[in-house]
Amino acid sequence: MVRERYLQQLDLLKKSVLSLGEMSELIFRDSMEAVIDLNVELARKTLALEPEVNKLEENIEASVFDLLALQQPMASDLRLVVSALKISADLKRIVGLSINIAKIPGKFEGGHIKPLIDTKKMADIAANMLENSLKAFETQDVELARGTASRDEEVDRLFYAVWVELIEMMAKDTSIISKATYLLFLIRYIERIADHCCNVCESVVYLATAERIKLN
């Protein structure tokens, strides 16, 4: 009976992390849609989800501490508990960055200074990385984790290309500096989200193999 409850707690912990992952995907996707369409109403709805995320993270932390204090997990079970705590922290940071993105439409007046084609490509890659990093966690798929993290280079290349373009645009037309600055923040937030996805993938490799590696 005790063993059964212990396994149920581990399973619930994993499901809670995946639920937090689903929330992070939703908030990131909607925040980007709000920015691209300058949809202030969608941005407001996205911002309103932050307390729900905070509650999920608190529940995960409480589950982790209960398992560590009362069950004293060993070996692979301990790696799951540690990885769940670390992954939830990365997911919370992804949510925080997405919330920053969702604040941008409310500060923007008028249309964009340029089509956000490459910025959207960055966000699409980062969203795919987030989705696959969570799949890798759910299945403990090391190859998927490694392949997902390798896409960070694509995000970095697009980041530097857009960054250079925006700097050059500001140098030619100082009237767009305010809007361009928000776009510089935007691409930085997306780049950081991709980095946190790499961290999740590193946690997956540790969970599955007990090997600590750097993937980005």
Side-chain angles (χ1 to χ4, degrees):
M1 188 67 180
V2 173
R3 177 67 179 174
E4 183 179 343
R5 174 168 168 72
Y6 168 61
L7 293 176
Q8 287 175 346
Q9 284 181 288
L10 287 174
D11 186 57
L12 181 59
L13 174 61
K14 185 175 180 179
K15 288 178 178 176
S16 296
V17 174
L18 291 171
S19 293
L20 179 58
E22 288 176 4
M23 285 295 298
S24 67
E25 288 184 275
L26 171 66
I27 292 172
F28 179 38
R29 183 184 68 239
D30 285 357
S31 68
M32 282 305 307
E33 182 179 338
V35 167
I36 290 169
D37 297 338
L38 293 179
N39 186 333
V40 176
E41 184 57 33
L42 179 58
R44 287 196 189 109
K45 290 179 180 177
T46 304
L47 292 170
L49 293 174
E50 191 173 16
E52 188 175 340
V53 170
N54 292 338
K55 185 65 177 175
L56 265 173
E57 189 197 22
E58 289 170 6
N59 289 341
I60 290 169
E61 286 184 357
S63 295
V64 166
F65 295 144
D66 282 348
L67 280 162
L68 289 174
L70 303 176
Q71 303 291 352
Q72 298 179 337
M74 301 295 290
S76 62
D77 289 349
L78 180 59
R79 293 202 304 274
L80 173 59
V81 174
V82 171
S83 298
L85 185 61
K86 190 172 186 306
I87 289 171
S88 67
D90 279 303
L91 292 174
K92 179 69 187 304
R93 290 187 179 96
I94 288 171
V95 169
L97 291 162
S98 299
I99 291 296
N100 288 341
I101 292 172
K103 292 176 181 176
I104 293 175
K107 299 174 181 177
F108 237 85
E109 291 185 6
H112 289 296
I113 58 173
K114 64 182 289 296
L116 303 186
I117 296 171
D118 285 341
T119 302
K120 186 177 184 304
K121 285 181 184 177
M122 281 182 68
D124 287 345
I125 295 169
N128 180 258
M129 290 175 68
L130 178 54
E131 178 184 1
N132 284 332
S133 65
L134 291 167
K135 284 181 181 176
F137 169 64
E138 184 175 15
T139 60
Q140 295 191 31
D141 188 332
V142 172
E143 291 309 310
L144 179 58
R146 290 179 182 274
T148 298
S150 69
R151 300 205 69 189
D152 188 52
E153 293 181 8
E154 298 175 56
V155 175
D156 288 344
R157 282 196 297 269
L158 287 165
F159 169 79
Y160 287 116
V162 176
W163 184 83
V164 169
E165 182 183 10
L166 289 169
I167 295 298
E168 290 175 348
M169 288 176 67
M170 285 190 288
K172 292 176 182 177
D173 183 0
T174 56
S175 69
I176 67 165
I177 286 178
S178 178
K179 288 185 176 181
T181 299
Y182 284 124
L183 293 182
L184 287 171
F185 282 133
L186 173 60
I187 61 173
R188 173 58 73 183
Y189 296 147
I190 298 170
E191 189 265 342
R192 290 296 299 137
I193 285 171
D195 286 344
H196 284 295
C197 291
C198 289
N199 291 347
V200 173
C201 291
E202 289 171 5
S203 294
V204 171
V205 174
Y206 169 69
L207 170 60
T209 68
E211 181 183 4
R212 295 189 181 275
I213 59 171
K214 294 296 291 182
L215 291 176
N216 64 340

